[in-house]
Amino acid sequence: MIDEIEELSQIVENANLGTWQWNILTGETKINDRWATIVGYTVAELSPVSIDTWVSLIHPDDLLKSKELLNAHFEGKTKRYSCEVRMLHKNGNWVWVLDTGKVSQWTVDGNPLMMSGIHQEIDEQKQAELQLYHKLKQEKLIREISSDFVNSSNIDDSIISVFEKLCSFVEASRVYLFMIDAKKETMSNTHEWCAEGVSAEKDELQNLPLSIFPWWMDKLYKKEIINISDVSQMPIEAKAEQEILESQNIKSLLVLPVHSGSKLIGFVGFDNVMSTVFWTQQDSQMLYLLADILSNAIIRKLNEEELTNSFKNLRNYFDLNSDFVVILNDQAEIIKVNQQVIDTLGYEEDDVVGKSVLLLHPSKEEKDAATVIGEILDNERKKSPMPIIANNGKRILVETTAKKGLWDGKPAVFVISKDISELKLSEEKFSKIFHNSPEITGLSNLDTGECLEVNSAFYSKLGFSPDEVIGKQAYTLLKMEKNIKDKIETELKEKGSLQNMETVIYTKHGKPLNVLLSSSIIQILDSKYNLTIASDITESVKNKRELIQAKEKAEESDRLKLAFLATMSHELRTPLNHVIGFSNLIPDMTDDESIMEFSKLINQSGSNLLNIIEDIFDLAMVEQSTIKIRQQEVLIRDIYLELKNQLQEILFESDKNESIQLDYRFDSTLATKRIITDKPKVMQVMTNIIKNAVKYTEKGRIALSLTLEQNSYLSLNIKDTGIGIPENKIDIIFDFFRQVDDSHTREYGGVGIGLAISQKIATAMGGKIKVKSVPDFGSEFSYSFPIKFSENKTIESNKNSDIFIMPDFSGSKVLIAEDDTIGLKMIINILKPSSCTIIEATNGLQAVEALKANPDIDMILMDLKMPVMDGFEATSTIREDFPNLPIIALTAYSLTKDKKRAFAAGCNDIITKPVDKVITFMKLKNYLER
């Protein structure tokens, strides 16, 4: 017995079988070494061994099957127990084992007590069986999927159905298809199937930029399969993709590229969001094959869509074409017509299909239509106008072309007719306008420039006959200059038109015509032409030339007028200079009161005459040109003080200072305010108003006030208690040469231009003069004008007192250059009391020589108008050697341009004749006491 047992043990060992003995009541189990090594352990590592050791190593799915088979054996249903199970190997893999055994001992109650058996490793055999099964299952799946796509009428539905089958086969919880838009560089999820409990992501995965999947796309472009069993273990270079996948809770994924030829058009993906899955190479290969099948299905779908769209586009083009399209067979019978034939001509397709195309042409012109279509098909002509007839009998003029081709694989003729009724009407209208236009009009070939047609005005105005024009180049015919020709061609090429270019063309007989040339590219049917219109402006040019000549004459007349005014100003001021100057000196030379009174009257009359002359010249200058406003910065206080001094001086000169009291009102808050305005113009306006107030007031009061109005207007007011102005005369006092009393017996003198000049200046400054007056009670004149405040806060020091004190110029040498003997003597007499040394010169050259002989001269008074060398030239000459010597111009010129010329020559200052003693000494003192 012992020998048999040892022999049996040897057989078991040689068979490489694992053995086990199991006490069913206690659970105690004994195993041999081979049993333990099958699962990668030693017996010692598994000790203590019990039935629980077996339970812990068996696959959960196989444990239930094992229990069922054991119970069947315990119940006597089977002679022995046998079960194929998976046991967990120490390395983590599952190992297939054939577990067989038999109850060897029973209890007295008939229950199993001891059981023994063997473990035979069958992993390789089982794997071969599984692989064969898997392969058969794959082949079946491939056949089903291929069949689905071949027989499918809806590729989209088939894709979803295939995804559902694949999902269970490869243990995926979601399958999806992405299509790539190469132009937009985006991808979109087009199809998706999800297992129960798995959320869909398709709507959120549209138009995703390819750039956010760099690693992923690189793999797919290289036709590589992306097989990731554990997303958390993805390589570092796939960090961007890993973050996106983990955000969707994806544990494992398998992605296969979908190609059309060599072009990547998309990919199929398999996700598992439940657990990690390991897909074998065999799985990948099978799925790659399925991806190819899917690729073919997708390409088929795309081709079908493209074909459908192409057909729709072609049908739309065919039906939406605004031309009439008719397809004929080789017997000239209608096969097909487009919607335009049906809608516009009113035929039903059944009415015309199978009928001769001549049905669409008027019966009287069917023969001509057949001939024309034949000529077009024989390439004897490209196209031809002909009428067709609608179902209601309406004739429509069309331009027809025809081409041979194939329709449904058979010879056919494609006839296209364009409705040119409106175009024909437009051509008729254009022709009427073209030929009846009074302008020179021509139509020429755009490329060659040859005249194709010209209107009657062309022939009548230029004298050509049709034979001399048609087919000839207009540029040559009309003798146009080459630069004009080039400019016209350039403008037409770049802009398509040329507008109102002034040039000269010539008639047949060589007569030049000034014209305004306009040219434009126009299209008639399928050809482009150059339409040119030339408007004869010869008379306008002649008139314009005459106007320019008249303008030049007027400007010359104005220049002569200015020269005359300057000369008259000088000639009139010179004797007045003597009268006023000497009459001003007489009181200092006598104690005779009557002589003093007479000299005073002479001086006053001279001053009045000077005022009249100045008003006349002011009038001439105002009428001569536009008043120029020269703005400068000035203190409001200075305007007020100068007006106050002027009022006092004018009143003093009028000998009314005993009978008229002056009142002043000035807002002290304005004393330090600076404004931007034209002060001389302001003074000129107010001087005339002040003069009138003194002139027309014999006694009473004259009030001067200065106030700031709203909206930044400065208001200057003169109110008097004079004779007043009747209401019906207020408007005329601002007219030239008008006074309140226009009679020859009027009491007050003057020429009536002062207020007219003031009003013109006020208007030019944006201001206005207002008048309130009551006869016998007085008048109030208000001059308000806009001002702008200056930001300069600097305050000038007060001016010196106006009280004149004769200065002491002893030790100073003054050169007087004056050609007028009387004027020279007067100036000498004025300067004598100052004790200065006086040197005389009667022309500019003498002044230059006198200065060379007396280089210590301190001051020059230089008359500007002198013989031999005038004051302008003399001053310029002196400045070359004596740049700092003070030179004051003496001038009877009153024009601004002459004063500017004096300063330009080098004069430091100007004294205007008649010479005023006070002003003269003030200016000399200003330079001699520096």
Side-chain angles (χ1 to χ4, degrees):
M1 183 68 177
I2 295 173
D3 292 338
E4 290 179 358
I5 294 174
E6 288 179 353
E7 184 179 354
L8 182 61
S9 298
Q10 187 64 40
I11 292 172
V12 169
E13 184 177 349
N14 290 338
N16 202 22
L17 298 175
T19 62
W20 52 269
Q21 287 182 321
W22 172 31
N23 186 324
I24 298 170
L25 293 180
T26 64
E28 181 183 358
T29 305
K30 293 180 180 180
I31 60 175
N32 69 349
D33 290 339
R34 178 56 185 160
W35 193 101
T37 57
I38 288 176
V39 290
Y41 295 94
T42 64
V43 175
E45 288 177 320
L46 293 176
S47 295
V49 179
S50 68
I51 192 61
D52 292 335
T53 304
W54 157 257
V55 171
S56 68
L57 293 175
I58 193 172
H59 193 287
D61 293 342
D62 298 337
L63 179 61
L64 180 62
K65 180 176 64 173
S66 174
K67 286 182 178 181
E68 290 176 353
L69 292 174
L70 280 172
N71 289 331
H73 177 60
F74 290 161
E75 293 171 359
K77 295 178 180 179
T78 59
K79 291 182 177 181
R80 65 176 55 85
Y81 155 79
S82 179
C83 182
E84 292 179 351
V85 297
R86 286 164 290 181
M87 296 186 68
L88 185 63
H89 195 277
K90 184 178 180 180
N91 62 12
N93 295 329
W94 294 101
V95 179
W96 281 98
V97 174
L98 176 58
D99 184 23
T100 59
K102 185 177 181 181
V103 176
S104 58
Q105 188 176 350
W106 301 81
T107 64
V108 292
D109 298 329
N111 292 322
L113 176 62
M114 295 296 293
M115 185 173 181
S116 61
I118 60 172
H119 272 189
Q120 180 182 356
E121 184 178 1
I122 58 171
D123 194 60
E124 290 182 3
Q125 175 187 346
K126 196 65 179 178
Q127 289 297 336
E129 289 178 1
L130 289 174
Q131 286 177 4
L132 178 60
Y133 173 77
H134 199 65
K135 183 177 181 181
L136 293 173
K137 189 177 179 181
Q138 284 180 352
E139 291 174 353
K140 180 182 178 183
L141 180 61
I142 290 172
R143 287 196 302 272
E144 290 178 356
I145 290 174
S146 299
S147 177
D148 286 347
F149 282 130
V150 169
N151 299 316
S152 173
S153 59
N154 189 317
I155 299 296
D156 291 323
D157 289 345
S158 295
I159 290 174
I160 299 300
S161 174
V162 166
F163 281 178
E164 183 177 5
K165 293 176 181 179
L166 289 174
C167 202
S168 60
F169 185 81
V170 297
E171 298 183 56
S173 52
R174 179 166 53 215
V175 187
Y176 45 82
L177 170 65
F178 271 80
M179 296 301 292
I180 294 174
D181 188 330
K183 290 183 179 179
K184 296 181 180 179
E185 296 186 345
T186 60
M187 58 181 173
S188 297
N189 189 179
T190 58
H191 301 77
E192 180 185 44
W193 185 88
C194 298
E196 187 177 352
V198 178
S199 60
E201 300 286 346
K202 177 183 172 184
D203 293 341
E204 305 299 324
L205 302 174
Q206 301 298 315
N207 299 312
L208 303 178
L210 301 181
S211 58
I212 65 175
F213 301 92
W215 176 82
W216 184 298
M217 295 307 301
D218 182 61
K219 293 278 188 183
L220 297 178
Y221 281 127
K222 293 177 181 178
K223 297 186 177 182
E224 296 181 12
I225 297 174
I226 301 175
N227 189 342
I228 302 173
S229 59
D230 189 347
V231 168
S232 65
Q233 301 300 316
M234 289 179 71
I236 188 66
E237 58 267 25
K239 185 68 175 175
E241 289 84 347
Q242 182 182 9
E243 291 178 356
I244 294 172
L245 297 173
E246 288 181 339
S247 68
Q248 300 177 39
N249 199 34
I250 295 173
K251 302 290 191 300
S252 301
L253 67 87
L254 181 69
V255 179
L256 304 115
V258 176
H259 284 82
S260 174
S262 60
K263 181 182 178 183
L264 178 69
I265 61 173
F267 58 86
V268 179
F270 300 85
D271 289 352
N272 196 312
V273 297
M274 304 298 184
S275 62
T276 57
V277 178
F278 177 77
W279 286 288
T280 65
Q281 185 177 2
Q282 186 178 6
D283 292 334
S284 299
Q285 290 174 347
M286 187 274 292
L287 291 174
Y288 204 100
L289 178 60
L290 292 174
D292 284 341
I293 296 172
L294 180 61
S295 174
N296 292 330
I298 292 170
I299 293 170
R300 172 188 159 193
K301 176 177 181 291
L302 294 176
N303 289 339
E304 288 176 354
E305 289 177 351
E306 185 176 355
L307 186 61
T308 301
N309 290 334
S310 296
F311 178 78
K312 287 181 180 178
N313 291 338
L314 185 61
R315 184 74 227 189
N316 286 336
Y317 173 77
F318 186 72
D319 285 333
L320 296 176
N321 196 319
S322 59
D323 297 333
F324 303 110
V325 182
V326 180
I327 303 174
L328 312 177
N329 61 18
D330 55 2
Q331 302 298 316
E333 294 172 339
I334 298 173
I335 303 172
K336 192 76 176 174
V337 297
N338 72 341
Q339 197 65 32
Q340 185 73 356
V341 173
I342 297 170
D343 293 342
T344 305
L345 299 184
Y347 295 104
E348 293 295 333
E349 193 165 10
D350 292 340
D351 296 337
V352 294
V353 171
K355 308 287 178 61
S356 171
V357 70
L358 298 179
L359 172 71
L360 301 178
H361 295 276
S363 57
K364 294 182 179 179
E365 299 175 50
E366 287 181 355
K367 186 176 180 180
D368 293 337
T371 301
V372 168
I373 293 174
E375 290 175 350
I376 292 174
L377 291 175
D378 293 337
N379 294 321
E380 294 178 11
R381 66 168 79 188
K382 292 183 178 180
K383 52 192 173 184
S384 176
M386 63 175 68
I388 59 175
I389 190 164
N391 199 20
N392 60 7
K394 179 182 177 182
R395 290 167 60 95
I396 299 174
L397 185 63
V398 297
E399 184 178 66
T400 298
T401 60
K403 292 286 184 182
K404 293 180 180 179
L406 294 176
W407 181 263
D408 286 339
K410 298 178 181 179
V413 177
F414 297 84
V415 179
I416 301 176
S417 298
K418 180 187 291 291
D419 185 349
I420 59 171
S421 303
E422 292 295 327
L423 183 61
K424 190 67 176 177
L425 180 61
S426 298
E427 283 183 4
E428 291 174 357
K429 291 179 180 178
F430 173 77
S431 180
K432 288 180 180 179
I433 295 170
F434 181 89
H435 289 289
N436 295 326
S437 171
E439 309 293 353
I440 299 168
T441 308
L443 194 66
S444 61
N445 186 293
L446 186 62
D447 298 320
T448 65
E450 294 177 352
C451 293
L452 302 175
E453 191 172 358
V454 297
N455 68 347
S456 56
F458 189 102
Y459 294 123
S460 63
K461 291 187 178 183
L462 299 178
F464 294 100
S465 65
D467 292 340
E468 294 170 321
V469 176
I470 304 304
K472 306 295 190 304
Q473 284 193 329
Y475 300 120
T476 305
L477 194 69
L478 303 179
K479 300 181 180 65
M480 297 178 70
E481 296 179 2
K482 185 178 182 304
N483 65 317
I484 298 297
K485 171 180 175 291
D486 293 341
K487 183 176 181 180
I488 293 173
E489 290 178 347
T490 301
E491 290 282 321
L492 287 176
K493 183 177 180 181
E494 294 178 354
K495 301 178 182 178
S497 65
L498 171 74
Q499 298 294 326
N500 296 331
M501 184 182 73
E502 189 171 339
T503 187
V504 177
I505 61 175
Y506 293 86
T507 67
K508 176 181 177 180
H509 304 293
K511 179 184 176 182
L513 292 182
N514 295 96
V515 295
L516 271 183
L517 198 69
S518 295
S519 189
S520 180
I521 297 175
I522 64 170
Q523 184 161 341
I524 301 176
L525 296 179
D526 295 330
S527 302
K528 292 184 178 180
Y529 303 92
N530 179 12
L531 176 65
T532 303
I533 300 173
S535 302
D536 186 357
I537 59 168
T538 305
E539 284 299 318
S540 299
V541 171
K542 180 182 176 183
N543 294 337
K544 182 179 179 181
R545 192 178 298 118
E546 290 175 353
L547 284 173
I548 291 173
Q549 292 173 352
K551 179 175 178 290
E552 290 174 348
K553 287 181 180 179
E555 290 174 347
E556 176 63 15
S557 175
D558 288 342
R559 189 188 65 77
L560 294 173
K561 180 179 178 181
L562 286 174
F564 171 76
L565 289 173
T567 302
M568 289 301 298
S569 174
H570 184 275
E571 295 302 323
L572 290 173
R573 285 174 178 272
T574 298
L576 275 176
N577 181 41
H578 303 158
V579 173
I580 295 172
F582 282 114
S583 63
N584 197 34
L585 292 173
I586 290 174
D588 297 331
M589 302 170 62
T590 180
D591 293 329
D592 190 325
E593 291 187 3
S594 60
I595 294 174
M596 293 171 65
E597 180 65 24
F598 291 152
S599 67
K600 184 176 180 181
L601 292 173
I602 292 169
N603 185 274
Q604 185 174 344
S605 296
S607 297
N608 290 338
L609 182 58
L610 178 63
N611 288 336
I612 292 172
I613 291 171
E614 287 179 345
D615 284 348
I616 292 172
F617 282 119
D618 284 343
L619 170 62
M621 294 307 296
V622 167
E623 293 297 305
Q624 178 69 23
S625 60
T626 304
I627 297 172
K628 294 182 179 179
I629 306 301
R630 298 174 179 83
Q631 294 188 333
Q632 60 183 8
E633 188 178 279
V634 62
L635 278 165
I636 295 179
R637 178 191 65 198
D638 288 349
I639 295 176
Y640 170 73
L641 292 176
E642 194 164 332
L643 289 174
K644 179 180 178 182
N645 291 338
Q646 191 178 71
L647 177 58
Q648 291 171 346
E649 289 175 5
I650 293 173
L651 181 63
F652 180 79
E653 292 171 358
S654 70
D655 282 341
K656 297 181 182 180
N657 52 317
E658 296 295 333
S659 58
I660 296 176
Q661 180 179 338
L662 299 180
D663 292 335
Y664 308 102
R665 183 166 62 87
F666 177 64
D667 186 351
S668 61
T669 61
L670 301 177
T672 60
K673 301 288 186 182
R674 285 183 174 274
I675 59 173
I676 307 296
T677 190
D678 189 335
K679 180 185 173 186
K681 293 290 190 300
V682 173
M683 299 309 299
Q684 190 174 355
V685 171
M686 291 304 296
T687 295
N688 291 321
I689 294 174
I690 290 172
K691 285 181 178 179
N692 282 347
V694 174
K695 178 179 178 179
Y696 294 108
T697 303
E698 296 300 327
K699 60 180 180 178
R701 294 175 178 273
I702 297 177
L704 167 67
S705 63
L706 185 152
T707 57
L708 182 65
E709 297 181 348
Q710 290 182 349
N711 301 323
S712 298
Y713 270 72
L714 191 66
S715 179
L716 308 176
N717 301 277
I718 294 292
K719 186 175 183 181
D720 63 56
T721 56
I723 62 173
I725 305 168
E727 186 175 353
N728 62 345
K729 297 285 187 177
I730 287 178
D731 291 336
I732 69 168
I733 63 175
F734 293 106
D735 295 338
F736 285 107
F737 309 114
R738 297 298 303 275
Q739 293 183 331
V740 173
D741 183 1
D742 284 337
S743 66
H744 294 294
T745 59
R746 63 177 182 262
E747 180 180 353
Y748 300 97
V751 294
I753 62 175
L755 286 179
I757 293 172
S758 291
Q759 184 71 292
K760 277 186 171 291
I761 295 172
T763 301
M765 293 183 67
K768 189 173 183 181
I769 299 175
K770 297 179 182 178
V771 182
K772 295 179 183 178
S773 185
V774 178
D776 301 327
F777 285 93
S779 304
E780 181 178 1
F781 282 74
S782 299
Y783 169 40
S784 58
F785 57 95
I787 58 172
K788 180 181 178 182
F789 285 99
S790 170
E791 296 180 359
N792 191 349
K793 303 298 183 181
T794 307
I795 303 174
E796 295 179 345
S797 58
N798 291 328
K799 295 181 179 179
N800 294 329
S801 172
D802 295 329
I803 300 173
F804 175 72
I805 300 174
M806 178 63 69
D808 181 6
F809 293 154
S810 56
S812 298
K813 284 186 179 182
V814 178
L815 170 61
I816 304 174
E818 170 65 80
D819 66 315
D820 179 26
T821 306
I822 299 174
L824 178 61
K825 288 182 179 180
M826 183 192 70
I827 295 170
I828 291 172
N829 283 316
I830 289 174
L831 297 183
K832 271 184 179 179
S834 68
S835 302
C836 65
T837 301
I838 298 174
I839 299 173
E840 302 174 23
T842 58
N843 60 57
L845 183 58
Q846 287 184 9
V848 173
E849 295 299 330
L851 184 58
K852 290 179 179 179
N854 301 276
D856 57 343
I857 288 174
D858 299 299
M859 166 73 70
I860 300 176
L861 297 178
M862 180 75 74
D863 186 30
L864 295 178
K865 185 180 180 184
M866 293 184 292
V868 183
M869 180 186 288
D870 63 23
F872 299 109
E873 185 178 354
T875 300
S876 297
T877 303
I878 291 169
R879 279 287 175 246
E880 293 177 4
D881 297 320
F882 298 91
N884 300 319
L885 179 64
I887 302 175
I888 297 178
L890 296 171
T891 180
Y893 292 114
S894 62
L895 301 182
T896 303
K897 73 181 188 66
D898 295 313
K899 295 178 180 179
K900 287 183 177 180
R901 186 182 171 195
F903 285 119
C907 292
N908 299 91
D909 211 334
I910 293 175
I911 295 176
T912 305
K913 297 178 181 178
V915 175
D916 182 276
K917 179 176 70 175
V918 175
I919 293 174
T920 300
F921 277 120
M922 286 178 63
K923 293 194 175 187
L924 264 63
K925 184 178 179 182
N926 186 41
Y927 290 101
L928 291 176
E929 293 185 354
R930 286 183 178 177

